[in-house]
Amino acid sequence: LIKATYDVLPSPANLVRWKVADDDKCRCGEKGTVRHILSRCKLALNRFTWRHDQVLVVLVKALKDKIDQINQGKVPTVSKRAEVTFHKAGARKQAKPAAKSQVVDKRWKGHWELAADLESFLVFPLVGTTQRPDIVVWSQEIRCAIVLELTVPWEDNFVNAEIRKEERYETLMEECRAQSWNVEYYHLAVGARGFIERKLLNIFRHRFGFSAAELRRLKC
């Protein structure tokens, strides 16, 4: 991982730079940089798919465990500040900072289900479509859903991957809302070298209620 991060793996391009070899080409004919081999080579598309699915398996397992807890009554909580109090003008003593309290996250009412695009073909549960987002979490009772799409790009491409995926599913999200679904869409990214985008951790923490310990286990 460290060598991949600092681009000192023995890729064809590096071997030529180090004067160990004469050919810097990948087997596909493109220049064989570490970035190319790990995220762009057309001969490795099946391996890229495998890598994506292995990351997805980890995320789905963690989310299934969390959804099971929620359905059993262990609903996530959110912080709520107490009302701010003010002191009289001219008073010396400052008002104490408002204390935070934990309240039940009302967004998790009802019974929730989860479907993922893994071994079997995912039939999108909200509206009729041939599109296949990676993860869908939904509650039929309250007509609320969370759609998650995972990408495993080269780390410099996190933003571009997010924009591309949002454009792909924009129409689908509009169709869901037109049929009275309160739907949220989030993009999840884990880099080709294993670095986790902070947005993913924030979504799991603040939307799904993962604790700090649960996030540590997820990252490991």
Side-chain angles (χ1 to χ4, degrees):
L1 175 58
I2 293 174
K3 288 183 176 181
T5 301
Y6 291 99
D7 193 13
V8 291
L9 285 172
S11 63
N14 279 343
L15 291 176
V16 170
R17 185 158 59 91
W18 300 334
K19 299 182 180 180
V20 176
D22 299 323
D23 185 5
D24 66 354
K25 295 295 188 291
C26 174
R27 289 169 54 199
C28 69
E30 300 289 333
K31 187 174 181 179
T33 62
V34 172
R35 176 172 183 162
H36 169 81
I37 293 169
L38 293 182
S39 66
R40 297 180 62 183
C41 180
K42 61 186 178 183
L43 298 181
L45 294 179
N46 62 328
R47 298 303 294 170
F48 298 159
T49 300
W50 175 87
R51 181 178 63 196
H52 169 278
D53 288 349
Q54 295 307 301
V55 176
L56 185 58
V57 165
V58 174
L59 298 180
V60 168
K61 183 181 184 305
L63 287 172
K64 279 185 175 179
D65 291 343
K66 179 59 66 173
I67 296 302
D68 287 343
Q69 293 175 16
I70 292 172
N71 288 334
Q72 292 169 9
K74 299 179 181 178
V75 181
T77 59
V78 292
S79 298
K80 181 180 180 181
R81 283 189 177 275
E83 293 184 1
V84 177
T85 56
F86 299 92
H87 62 281
K88 293 182 179 180
R92 294 181 180 179
K93 187 176 180 180
Q94 298 292 325
K96 293 182 179 179
K100 290 184 178 180
S101 60
Q102 295 293 319
V103 296
V104 172
D105 190 342
K106 296 181 179 179
R107 295 176 296 179
W108 290 105
K109 294 186 297 182
H111 180 83
W112 291 81
E113 300 179 68
L114 183 148
D117 186 22
L118 282 168
E119 296 179 358
S120 59
F121 183 86
L122 170 65
V123 177
F124 192 67
L126 309 184
V127 298
T129 180
T130 57
Q131 289 186 297
R132 297 161 57 181
D134 286 317
I135 303 173
V136 185
V137 180
W138 77 99
S139 172
Q140 188 71 41
E141 297 176 36
I142 61 174
R143 302 286 288 181
C144 185
I146 304 170
V147 176
L148 305 172
E149 180 69 8
L150 170 69
T151 55
V152 189
W154 191 255
E155 283 78 2
D156 291 347
N157 287 334
F158 278 167
V159 174
N160 291 336
E162 181 174 1
I163 293 173
R164 184 176 68 253
K165 292 293 186 177
E166 284 182 351
E167 290 176 349
R168 174 183 295 182
Y169 291 109
E170 182 178 5
T171 300
L172 178 59
M173 297 301 100
E174 291 176 356
E175 291 176 0
C176 293
R177 296 183 182 106
Q179 297 192 28
S180 302
W181 280 98
N182 179 15
V183 63
E184 303 170 38
Y185 170 84
Y186 298 105
H187 173 259
L188 311 177
V190 177
R193 292 171 292 184
F195 294 102
I196 304 172
E197 187 183 33
R198 183 164 294 277
K199 284 183 181 180
L200 186 155
L201 300 177
N202 288 338
I203 291 167
F204 275 58
R205 173 69 183 92
H206 299 293
R207 186 59 182 92
F208 291 95
F210 278 64
S211 65
E214 289 172 329
L215 288 178
R216 284 195 296 271
R217 288 195 295 270
L218 178 66
K219 289 187 288 185
C220 293

